Amino acid sequence: MTSDLIDSRKLQSMSTDKFFYFFMGLRKGEVRRRVTALRTRHPDESPTQLARRLNKAQIPLSFLGGTLLQAPLLVPYAGPVLKLMGVTGGTSVLMRMHLTLILEIAMAFGKDIDEKARMKEMIAVMTAAGLTSSASMLTRNLNFKPYYTLLAGGVTVAALSQLIGETAIAYYAMGSQAVSMEDSSAAATT
């Protein structure tokens, strides 16, 4: 076997890939295309700088998504089922946005987005994104005005996006430094 072959034990299963594609709408081809385009536009930037660009672009979208997530709860005559469907759909979109962000950041740092190692990271992001959808319940229980509920949802999700992005940058940068130190020491011994 050549070193060019990919170790299939390190890759996500086909079922996992299909789950994220069909149920979460995660399009890895789009992730690859966007990161490649970003590298082409900014060839002199480091992985950290590219990742910060990706994170910065995500924040306004997260604010808008968080605001829209709260909108179904503000419709007085909508039934509980319609409200639940709106929150569930909105949460799914936010999860997809955040999963895409961490995969883009991973790829900016040269990580393989098909590796099993990305699964733990994606599960952590899905959990965090699911928890942020509860911001509306807190503001409702505190009897805030409806527009505060919208604002709280937007700010909460935007803050989460910033946190996810910065955490991913720190995590992947740390991994990149460890790999480059291993490469340096291997080169020094030869």
Side-chain angles (χ1 to χ4, degrees):
M1 287 203 205
T2 67
S3 60
D4 293 340
L5 294 178
I6 298 170
D7 185 0
S8 64
R9 293 172 293 176
K10 291 183 179 182
L11 298 180
Q12 296 170 7
S13 71
M14 182 74 72
S15 296
T16 302
D17 237 12
K18 284 186 172 197
F19 169 79
F20 281 107
Y21 183 84
F22 290 113
F23 289 98
M24 297 303 297
L26 190 61
R27 308 291 190 252
K28 289 181 180 176
E30 275 298 302
V31 169
R32 288 181 181 98
R33 186 191 63 74
R34 273 194 301 274
V35 174
T36 301
L38 188 64
R39 281 184 179 143
T40 302
R41 279 188 231 136
H42 307 282
D44 297 332
E45 290 191 0
S46 70
T48 301
Q49 291 170 317
L50 294 173
R52 289 232 160 81
R53 281 184 182 276
L54 291 164
N55 196 24
K56 186 178 178 183
Q58 177 90 11
I59 292 170
L61 295 174
S62 294
F63 180 81
L64 178 62
T67 302
L68 292 176
L69 175 67
Q70 309 310 315
L73 299 173
L74 300 177
V75 180
Y77 301 109
V81 173
L82 289 176
K83 289 180 181 181
L84 182 62
M85 285 173 48
V87 170
T88 303
T91 301
S92 175
V93 168
L94 293 175
M95 281 185 197
R96 185 178 324 131
M97 284 174 42
H98 291 120
L99 289 173
T100 299
L101 177 64
I102 65 162
L103 291 179
E104 288 172 341
I105 292 172
M107 194 169 171
F109 279 95
K111 303 295 182 188
D112 184 354
I113 62 174
D114 291 320
E115 280 186 338
K116 286 181 184 177
R118 302 293 83 75
M119 283 303 300
K120 290 185 276 183
E121 300 150 10
M122 290 192 294
I123 289 169
V125 167
M126 288 170 43
T127 303
L131 291 174
T132 58
S133 65
S134 65
S136 63
M137 292 175 203
L138 176 64
T139 56
R140 238 181 333 153
N141 289 339
L142 295 173
N143 295 321
F144 282 179
K145 302 266 187 225
Y147 51 87
Y148 288 140
T149 302
L150 291 173
L151 186 60
V155 169
T156 302
V157 175
L160 174 70
S161 181
Q162 178 74 25
L163 180 64
I164 288 171
E166 288 301 320
T167 302
I169 291 167
Y171 176 75
Y172 293 125
M174 183 176 56
S176 293
Q177 290 171 352
V179 168
S180 65
M181 287 186 345
E182 288 173 10
D183 292 343
S184 305
S185 63
T189 58
T190 57

